[in-house]
Amino acid sequence: MKSKRLETLCRKLSNVCTRVKARMPLLRQLEFAFRSTDILSVGQPGVSPGELVESAGKMPAGPTAETAVLLQTARELLRAHGADRIARELRVEWNSRLKTAAGRADYCQKLISLNPQLFEHPTEIDRTLRHELAHILAQLRAGRRRVLPHGAEWRQACCDLGIADEKRCHNLPFKVSESARRYVYKCPQCQRDFPRVRRIMRAVACLACCRAHNGGEFDARFRLKLVRL
């Protein structure tokens, strides 16, 4: 009697193990799908980023065909100018933390961040992408040498990327929530005021004075001083 019960129990355990093994590939596929967040879907060929995102009208919730087209465009532009390694590592994202800036380039992270408010100005998306890409291309060409954010190297990169008349700042009417600028800093040299929302926690100097008197390098003589809370 006991042997029959034991045999029945073993058979049930065997059936359970078989079902678990059968489900394992599916579970592994699901796990892989959730982990593969860097895979971007491919957009339609021959369509510009502005045309693609115009119908969206809002910030994408995650990697989309629009993002993929932007990334593909940026990589092709880099490869066309001999930057194959950077092209392979480059990433493009939409960053809702950007408020007044249309975009931002991080050479160390090989990352271009775009302001989601550009979706309200779809024709400016491609130009902003090239603007930020010019920063990365300019620094790549300079190697370890420091370059000015919008200096001669950046302007040359803009020309190479097809935006020779690019301005250093945009004039897009981005909506910004006004915050009280509680802190006012002053340059001891030119006496210019620098209002800030938050207290400056590191050594910051007046850029205009550093350029005029020290070749654009940091100079403690022009370090900003807090004059009013």
Side-chain angles (χ1 to χ4, degrees), residues 14-166:
S14 177
N15 292 337
V16 170
C17 291
T18 302
R19 288 196 296 269
V20 170
K21 288 181 180 179
R23 292 176 182 174
M24 281 300 290
L26 176 60
L27 293 175
R28 286 172 182 160
Q29 289 174 5
L30 287 172
E31 183 181 13
F32 177 79
F34 282 115
R35 287 182 178 178
S36 302
T37 56
D38 292 332
I39 297 177
L40 301 177
S41 55
V42 179
Q44 298 93 327
V47 181
S48 71
E51 292 172 345
L52 265 177
V53 299
E54 191 168 8
S55 61
K58 60 181 180 179
M59 177 185 175
T64 63
E66 292 87 347
T67 315
V69 172
L70 292 173
L71 181 61
Q72 181 180 356
T73 299
R75 286 176 171 173
E76 289 176 354
L77 288 169
L78 287 174
R79 292 191 184 103
H81 293 88
D84 292 350
R85 181 180 62 82
I86 299 294
R88 290 193 299 270
E89 300 175 8
L90 187 71
R91 293 177 294 133
V92 175
E93 69 170 10
W94 295 96
N95 189 341
S96 59
R97 298 184 66 181
L98 296 178
K99 302 302 181 183
T100 58
R104 183 174 60 197
D106 188 329
Y107 178 78
C108 294
Q109 297 294 326
K110 309 300 183 291
L111 174 65
I112 291 178
S113 302
L114 300 175
N115 191 325
Q117 294 188 74
L118 284 170
F119 274 80
E120 300 175 8
H121 312 276
T123 58
E124 294 294 325
I125 293 178
D126 181 71
R127 191 176 191 90
T128 303
L129 177 72
R130 293 170 188 255
H131 177 116
E132 303 306 330
L133 198 61
H135 286 295
I136 291 180
L137 187 59
Q139 187 58 60
L140 173 67
R141 290 171 171 175
R144 295 185 177 182
R145 178 171 58 87
R146 290 181 59 185
V147 297
L148 294 176
H150 298 96
E153 296 85 356
W154 174 79
R155 290 194 296 272
Q156 180 59 53
C158 285
C159 291
D160 296 338
L161 294 174
I163 50 171
D165 59 341
E166 180 68 355

Side-chain angles (χ1 to χ4, degrees), residues 160-179:
D160 296 338
L161 294 174
I163 50 171
D165 59 341
E166 180 68 355
K167 303 293 190 297
R168 63 183 302 271
C169 297
H170 70 83
N171 57 0
L172 298 174
F174 285 170
K175 299 176 183 177
V176 181
S177 57
E178 291 294 333
S179 301

